[in-house]
Amino acid sequence: MLLKSIPLWGGLCLLFTAGTATAQTPANTFAASTNHSAIIRPDGSLWTSGINLEGQLGNGTTTCSTSPVRVKTEDPNTHWAQVAAGTSHTLALTTDGRLYTWGGNSKGQLGDGTNKQHLTPVAVKLPEEAAHATWKQVAAGTSHSLALSTDGRLYVWGNNTNGQLGQGTSLDYTHPVEVPLPESARSTTWAQVAAGNDHTLALTADGRLFAWGNNQFGQLGNGSYATSREPEAVGQTRKLAALRWAYVAAGRFHTLAVTEDGKLYSWGSNRFGQLGEEEDTQRNLPTLMLMPGGLANAVWTQVAAGDAHSLALSADGRLVAWGNNCAGQLGDGTTVRQLQPVVVTLPENASAAVAWTRIASGGFHNLAYTADGQLYTWGANRFGQLGDGTALDHNQPMSQESIFTKQSSPSPSGLGGDLSSLDGAEAWGLNDTRLLKEMPEAPSFMMLPQQADDRP
């Protein structure tokens, strides 16, 4: 009997939107985590699909669904503005500035002052000084949450084992606490945030970048491998300190960022080529990525990072990916790992001139919009996180526009689609045994007994 693993925790959610390369806050209207996805429709409704064992789909059940289900709210007229997805929880903002969370809460990641699980949205318990704040961005790591106010204040809550809340301690918080700006940045405000597995990054309005939390693989980019429980400047060399950053994304153990002049940098773990380097190494300082061929002069505006794969979007709408590809998450029509960026295959029904405009990466899958407003998904789909009504992986982008417009009822099995039994299920995303060496301790992954096969 061979033990393979299906990721149920340890994922991440990131997403950034198109815009000029200046420090600005992305409008997160869709999100992806290890095994679930969320999207806000143009009418303001919020839909989710995938795993739901902790209630992270927010529809009042713990029934998984391979097709989108609508998040249940007390007020049917609730309109959502932004969403972020942690591994077992989800958080979102309404158009009138209210902050809600739902799903697993063992580490206080819902911010309601308890460790109680919630199957539908509950209001975050805000501190008195933030009681009347309005919010402009949310982000989520494995089991910690972040919210950025419109006046540039950053609040965090949830798991703090590795100092990912930036409080100078390792104590978890079940309610939001503010992350103060470092002394060197008191003249500015926070402008954008990103959350990895258990590390956090924040960009200031004047283009400086700070990081804190786990730094085992150099993912903080501060020149060391030591955990930091308070914000530290990224790139602490004279040359790197002069850079001004525009966008940042946090993967499981790696980080991507774009400078104001559209250059792309990466750092952290490169175990699966997610830094775009051929060496199986790690970097603790931002390293400029050298793009191949026709991508050499591209200006980059957005980045997204998954468990061990990376995406980047250029100003002219080209989308490239690199790193782990075990479930087809690079979208190039294969499942072959790529150590250099490859162009994501255009959808069959798309015009040759189609331009990508927004991207989001989960652990092993991605979501992206094109300029004509079409939503596409690809990669791992073991729990229906692609929202196509199946549990089949896809190694090329496929349109989800039609299926995301209708509510679906999960199958009576409780797993939706063909997920009625996990016994003998193929463990997507972990067919490279080296990933086992990078696994965080339980409960970051659930190990399930599986029959051995002939694959390496």
Side-chain angles (χ1 to χ4, degrees):
M1 187 75 73
L2 174 67
L3 283 181
K4 291 185 179 179
S5 47
I6 294 178
L8 297 183
W9 295 273
L12 29 124
C13 74
L14 324 178
L15 123 94
F16 302 94
T17 63
T20 57
T22 56
Q24 57 181 290
T25 304
N28 302 358
T29 58
F30 62 158
S33 184
T34 308
N35 293 310
H36 79 287
S37 302
I39 175 173
I40 299 173
R41 301 298 306 169
D43 64 0
S45 61
L46 177 54
W47 301 74
T48 55
S49 65
I51 201 165
N52 195 30
L53 301 182
E54 298 283 345
Q56 55 263 57
L57 298 190
N59 66 340
T61 76
T62 54
T63 302
C64 305
S65 180
T66 61
S67 296
V69 293
R70 189 167 183 170
V71 172
K72 185 178 180 180
T73 59
E74 292 184 1
D75 180 1
N77 295 317
T78 298
H79 288 79
W80 301 99
Q82 290 199 34
V83 64
T87 299
S88 63
H89 76 293
T90 308
L91 61 158
L93 302 177
T94 61
T95 53
D96 58 0
R98 290 174 292 162
L99 183 58
Y100 290 91
T101 56
W102 57 93
N105 197 25
S106 62
K107 294 293 184 177
Q109 60 263 47
L110 300 190
D112 68 337
T114 76
N115 293 107
K116 181 182 177 181
Q117 175 191 67
H118 290 278
L119 307 184
T120 57
V122 294
V124 172
K125 187 177 181 181
L126 297 169
E128 185 176 348
E129 72 271 14
H132 302 291
T134 55
W135 307 94
K136 63 179 180 179
Q137 190 199 351
V138 288
T142 295
S143 53
H144 73 291
S145 304
L146 300 87
L148 182 62
S149 68
T150 53
D151 60 356
R153 290 181 294 164
L154 176 58
Y155 288 84
V156 295
W157 60 94
N159 190 4
N160 194 33
T161 302
N162 287 294
Q164 57 263 52
L165 300 188
Q167 299 300 302
T169 74
S170 56
L171 300 175
D172 297 345
Y173 287 84
T174 61
H175 59 274
V177 289
E178 186 173 3
V179 179
L181 284 156
E183 189 66 36
S184 63
R186 293 292 169 86
S187 62
T188 185
T189 58
W190 298 115
Q192 182 196 334
V193 292
N197 188 61
D198 51 3
H199 75 290
T200 305
L201 295 104
L203 183 66
T204 61
D206 60 0
R208 283 178 283 178
L209 183 58
F210 294 86
W212 56 95
N214 186 14
N215 198 27
Q216 180 182 0
F217 298 95
Q219 59 263 50
L220 300 189
N222 61 3
S224 80
Y225 294 101
T227 291
S228 176
R229 303 187 188 282
E230 295 179 337
E232 289 193 11
V234 170
Q236 295 181 22
T237 67
R238 180 176 298 181
K239 184 176 180 180
L240 292 172
L243 296 175
R244 286 297 173 262
W245 304 94
Y247 271 92
V248 63
R252 183 179 172 203
F253 295 133
H254 74 293
T255 304
L256 306 170
V258 176
T259 58
E260 289 184 349
D261 59 355
K263 296 292 190 296
L264 178 57
Y265 286 77
S266 61
W267 59 94
S269 173
N270 192 47
R271 178 60 64 87
F272 295 90
Q274 60 264 49
L275 301 188
E277 299 186 29
E278 295 185 1
E279 296 181 10
D280 182 354
T281 186
Q282 52 202 37
R283 304 286 185 188
N284 61 16
L285 285 170
T287 303
L288 178 66
M289 282 193 60
L290 301 177
M291 293 290 177
L295 298 171
N297 296 319
V299 174
W300 304 100
T301 59
Q302 299 175 49
V303 283
D307 182 279
H309 74 283
S310 304
L311 274 74
L313 181 61
S314 68
D316 58 2
R318 288 178 289 173
L319 181 58
V320 297
W322 62 96
N324 193 8
N325 197 24
C326 55
Q329 59 264 48
L330 301 190
D332 65 343
T334 77
T335 54
V336 177
R337 184 190 319 175
Q338 299 291 341
L339 303 182
Q340 288 189 330
V342 294
V343 176
V344 174
T345 304
L346 288 173
E348 292 182 2
N349 61 337
S351 163
V354 68
W356 299 97
T357 59
R358 290 186 287 158
I359 55 177
S361 287
F364 300 86
H365 72 293
N366 308 290
L367 292 77
Y369 270 108
T370 51
D372 58 1
Q374 295 294 308
L375 173 68
Y376 294 88
T377 61
W378 66 96
N381 197 28
R382 179 62 186 87
F383 292 95
Q385 55 265 50
L386 299 187
D388 67 339
T390 78
L392 302 175
D393 297 348
H394 292 273
N395 59 19
Q396 292 180 322
M398 58 178 185
S399 175
Q400 293 304 313
E401 193 63 24
S402 60
I403 197 166
F404 261 107
T405 61
K406 56 186 179 182
Q407 188 171 13
S408 171
S409 297
S411 68
S413 68
L415 286 169
D418 53 347
L419 302 182
S420 57
S421 173
L422 292 179
D423 293 335
E426 181 178 353
W428 58 259
L430 295 172
N431 56 355
D432 189 323
T433 56
R434 292 191 307 160
L435 187 54
L436 297 174
K437 299 177 182 179
E438 269 195 10
M439 281 188 184
E441 296 180 358
S444 291
F445 284 83
M446 174 180 282
M447 302 300 294
L448 297 176
Q450 308 251 307
Q451 294 293 335
D453 59 22
D454 296 328
R455 294 179 303 170

